[in-house]
Amino acid sequence: CFCADNCFVPTSEIIAVEETELSKKQRNIGKWQKMAKPHAFTVYYVKKARNHRWRCSDVTFWCVDEHLCNQWIQALKELLEMQKSRPKQLLVYINPYGGKRQGKRIYEQKVAPLFSLASISTDVVITEHANHAKENLFEVNINKYDGVVCVGGDGMFSEVMHGLIGRMQKDSGIDQNNPKAPLVQCNIRIGIIRSTDCICYSTIGISDPVTSALHIILGDCQPLDVSSVHHNNTFLKYVVSLLGYGFYGDVLKDSEKKRWMGPMRYDYSGIKTFLSHHYYEGTISFQPAKHTLGSPRDKDSCRTG
């Protein structure tokens, strides 16, 4: 740990360490003006604010001895290299039409500089049509990446999830259409930038691009359960978070035609569908897990033990 702003910051929450060039004006401030040639380095770290919001902060250390300054920089960089869970290479998919067409700007202005600061290399793909990311994930050399980042809304996250899981099954020779086939677990993490509020709140507690980027940089991981939906021995979809039927399905179907309305389309379609007085019938069957003890209310994480 090191001390900054009267608090201790774990080395696991240091983002980067850089040598700092002091300007002539900085050298003449206070007691540092007595130094013939002060040397400095800056430590960038995570500063936690209220409501699960994270920000990148920094503190600069001065030293009159250049050798000692370099020793500090080297020692801190070695500590960062020991953080093995941090990504080095990321594949980024950006939906230019998602988030009121702000996804590309948000990534370039708020996320990309943080990745660069943390020395993370990125390959960025701007999607051009529906399922572009999903199709691309079946073609790229996926083993060169530590994770895949999706920048967009519901559709982008769904595409990346289906592409990654589908790619894992294809490479392992698993038939997704067989509901009894044991699926191969996806070992590549998905980073989410301004996706669904539901997904963001269930993973990091807030829908904020900077906070998401910092969690990705530190290598934080939150397991999510994934369900598959089949019909007549034919694979339909993977499901994370929720599965809608009946009223909810009609709301989504109608709202897709009114994307130009923005988030207001859900309220409009919801009222319209409710006033249409539809009713829904159906039978839902499921296969309960066997020989598994646990409860959604216990304190055990997914796959504990």
Side-chain angles (χ1 to χ4, degrees), residues 136-156:
N136 186 253
L137 281 167
F138 277 85
E139 302 171 356
V140 299
N141 178 12
I142 199 67
N143 296 320
K144 66 181 284 192
Y145 299 107
D146 301 307
V148 179
V149 176
C150 56
V151 184
D154 299 8
M156 179 55 64

Side-chain angles (χ1 to χ4, degrees), residues 169-170 172-183 230 233 235 238:
Q169 310 320 307
K170 177 185 176 183
S172 302
I174 302 297
D175 180 13
Q176 291 184 101
N177 289 317
N178 180 5
K180 296 183 179 180
L183 299 181
H230 294 76
N233 290 324
F235 169 74
Y238 290 114

Side-chain angles (χ1 to χ4, degrees), residues 222 293-305:
Q222 173 64 49
L293 297 177
S295 164
R297 296 185 181 278
D298 62 30
K299 295 182 180 181
D300 292 333
S301 301
C302 298
R303 299 191 294 275
T304 294

Side-chain angles (χ1 to χ4, degrees), residues 73-91:
I73 295 173
Q74 184 62 30
L76 287 171
K77 286 188 174 181
E78 288 177 0
L79 284 173
L80 293 183
E81 286 295 323
M82 293 172 62
Q83 308 295 321
K84 299 301 182 183
S85 63
R86 297 191 178 191
K88 296 288 191 294
Q89 182 89 21
L90 293 173
L91 176 59

Side-chain angles (χ1 to χ4, degrees), residues 62 108 119 184 195:
W62 285 269
E108 291 176 346
S119 299
V184 175
S195 186

Side-chain angles (χ1 to χ4, degrees), residues 61-72:
F61 297 88
W62 285 269
C63 184
V64 70
D65 188 335
E66 182 179 7
H67 178 67
L68 181 59
C69 182
N70 290 334
Q71 280 186 312
W72 269 105

Side-chain angles (χ1 to χ4, degrees), residues 100-129:
K100 297 183 180 179
R101 300 176 181 265
Q102 297 297 308
K104 187 171 182 290
R105 180 189 64 81
I106 288 171
Y107 176 79
E108 291 176 346
Q109 294 183 7
K110 296 185 177 182
V111 179
L114 291 173
F115 285 170
S116 178
L117 178 66
S119 299
I120 297 176
S121 300
T122 57
D123 290 335
V124 179
V125 177
I126 308 296
T127 58
E128 300 174 355
H129 54 79

